[in-house]
């Protein structure tokens, strides 16, 4: 139907203090100063949203939400972010079934049609590299990566890092446990890129061996200075983590149901007993969600579990901030 070319030479632009008009494809575009700026704006956005303040910041602007892969949080929080700021959305979910993609329209043409009608495109796609390809196809409006295959999910990381910053007041000198599907989790890939911008972070990565980070990712991330320690057994979980970041096994990335079931059977589930045994009293438990047999709902009542509290709400505030900056309204 259409082709997504794999990324050989990333050609996205660094933010360098100026978000206006930039595609947001990877965490690699950000420096610490850019994140500081985004978080400052995010705090303003949080006040607007919490107080239900009418805002006209994006008045007159249209944002296209083009989701080739299912989503609850990213889709809804982007829609909420635009509307909280007085903008409007054009929403296309499952374009392969409900748009002219089903008739054979190319990916590039679909992007160029959407950019003719909007001021920015938010794209989710099941193929790695799709966001970068869309950014190349779009000549007039910025493209924001809302998750591309098992590659990256930069806006998830912006909200994850904001959540960590809000809780700890810093993004350096943190010890974390990232658990689940490190091979396929785009949220883990982007989060490790983000945390590698800061000094002295140590991340334990807990996964079955077949779901550990690809060797290329492991080496390239280590080279950035972040300390990565891979573990495969529950009993190796350290007792001093500031946060846990749980992820599900990404069923949709597996070649067969049997392969998925085998991987799923080997993961460690975040349960009340696991927290009781290994977690500090003042840590937080995060999860980008959805959770699928990865976090026991019995943990939800624990105040340390922030995934259905601050973490999902911060998705709206950070996306409000990002849109306001990229669309040049701040
Ligand atoms: N965290 C996340 O990307 O969730 P959705 O797939 O529901 O958007």
């Amino acid at each position: 139907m259409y082709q997504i070319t794999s990324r050989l030479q990333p050609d996205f632009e660094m933010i360098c203090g100026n978000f206006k008009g930039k595609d947001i494809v990877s965490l690699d575009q950000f420096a610490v100063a850019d994140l500081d700026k985004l978080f400052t704006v995010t705090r303003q956005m949080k006040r607007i949203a919490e107080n239900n303040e009418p805002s006209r910041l994006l008045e007159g602007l249209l944002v296209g939400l083009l989701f080739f892969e299912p989503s609850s949080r990213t889709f809804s929080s982007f829609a909420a972010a635009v509307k909280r700021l007085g903008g409007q959305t054009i929403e296309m979910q499952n374009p392969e079934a409900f748009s002219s993609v089903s008739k054979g329209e190319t990916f590039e043409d679909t992007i160029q049609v959407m950019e003719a009608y909007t001021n920015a495109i938010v794209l989710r796609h099941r193929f790695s590299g799709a966001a970068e390809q869309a950014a190349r196809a779009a000549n007039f409006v910025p493209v924001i990566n809302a998750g591309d295959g098992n590659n990256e999910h930069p806006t998830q990381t912006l909200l994850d890092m904001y959540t960590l910053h809000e809780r700890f007041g810093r993004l350096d000198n943190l010890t974390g446990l990232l658990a689940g599907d490190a091979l396929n989790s785009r949220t883990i890939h982007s989060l490790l890129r983000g945390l590698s911008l800061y000094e002295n972070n140590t991340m334990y990565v807990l996964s079955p061996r077949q779901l550990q980070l690809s060797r290329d990712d492991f080496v390239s991330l280590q080279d950035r200075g972040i300390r990565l320690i891979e573990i495969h057994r529950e009993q190796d979980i350290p007792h001093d983590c500031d946060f846990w970041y749980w992820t599900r096994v990404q069923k949709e990335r597996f070649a067969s149901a049997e392969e998925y079931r085998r991987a799923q059977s080997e993961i460690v589930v975040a349960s009340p007993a696991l927290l009781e045994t290994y977690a500090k009293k003042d840590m937080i438990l995060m999860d980008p969600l959805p959770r699928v047999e990865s976090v026991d709902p019995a943990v939800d009542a624990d105040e340390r579990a922030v995934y259905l509290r601050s973490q999902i709400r911060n998705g709206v505030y950070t996306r409000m901030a990002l849109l306001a900056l990229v669309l040049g309204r701040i």
Side-chain angles (χ1 to χ4, degrees), residues 67 70-75 124 146 153 156 186-187 288-290 319:
F67 276 59
S71 164
S72 299
R73 279 146 294 276
T74 313
F75 182 86
R124 166 163 294 189
H153 194 346
Q156 176 70 42
R186 55 196 176 202
T187 70
L289 305 175
R319 287 168 176 136

Side-chain angles (χ1 to χ4, degrees), residues 129-147:
E132 201 178 332
Q133 189 167 337
R136 278 197 299 270
N139 296 308
F140 306 107
V141 307
V143 171
I144 298 177
N145 183 0

Side-chain angles (χ1 to χ4, degrees), residues 85-270:
L85 294 177
Q88 296 185 66
T89 56
I90 293 181
E91 302 177 357
M92 222 190 261
Q93 296 196 69
N94 195 1
E96 283 153 322
F98 297 116
S99 80
S100 287
V101 172
S102 69
K103 304 173 202 160
E105 186 158 69
T106 65
F107 183 65
E108 277 77 7
D109 282 2
T110 305
I111 295 298
Q112 290 188 32
V113 168
M114 197 55 131
E115 78 167 334
Y117 301 151
T118 62
N119 302 99
I121 297 172
V122 177
L123 175 79
R124 166 163 294 189
H125 207 289
R126 66 180 182 281
F127 292 145
S128 293
E132 201 178 332
Q133 189 167 337
R136 278 197 299 270
N139 296 308
F140 306 107
V141 307
V143 171
I144 298 177
N145 183 0
D148 63 328
N150 64 3
N151 181 36
E152 282 212 56
H153 194 346
T155 66
Q156 176 70 42
T157 290
L158 298 177
L159 78 93
D160 292 338
M161 292 179 79
Y162 182 78
T163 303
L164 288 168
H165 191 268
E166 202 174 38
R167 170 64 185 79
F168 298 109
R170 65 177 200 280
L171 287 166
D172 56 14
N173 294 291
L174 292 172
T175 300
L177 173 69
L178 312 185
D181 190 348
L183 178 66
N184 295 306
S185 169
R186 55 196 176 202
T187 70
I188 287 184
H189 301 162
S190 288
L191 183 57
L192 286 173
R193 283 176 165 79
L195 289 171
S196 69
L197 293 170
Y198 297 82
E199 295 290 313
N200 200 29
N201 284 326
T202 300
M203 296 299 130
Y204 290 83
V205 185
L206 168 66
S207 67
R209 285 187 194 279
Q210 72 269 32
L211 297 182
Q212 66 189 12
L213 287 168
S214 75
R215 292 307 83 187
D216 282 354
D217 277 348
F218 183 79
V219 170
S220 76
L221 287 160
Q222 283 270 33
D223 284 350
R224 295 160 192 243
I226 192 167
R227 188 155 176 255
L228 291 179
I229 301 168
E230 294 188 304
I231 57 176
H232 305 290
R233 305 178 317 162
E234 176 187 319
Q235 53 269 44
D236 293 330
I237 296 175
H239 291 80
D240 63 344
C241 287
D242 300 304
F243 70 95
W244 290 2
Y245 189 91
W246 233 257
T247 65
R248 74 186 167 99
V249 179
Q250 305 250 314
K251 187 177 186 177
E252 62 274 33
R253 316 283 175 222
F254 283 78
S256 72
E258 178 49 35
E259 225 179 293
Y260 165 71
R261 271 195 298 276
R262 212 176 314 125
Q264 177 66 37
S265 70
E266 290 181 33
I267 63 151
V268 177
V269 175

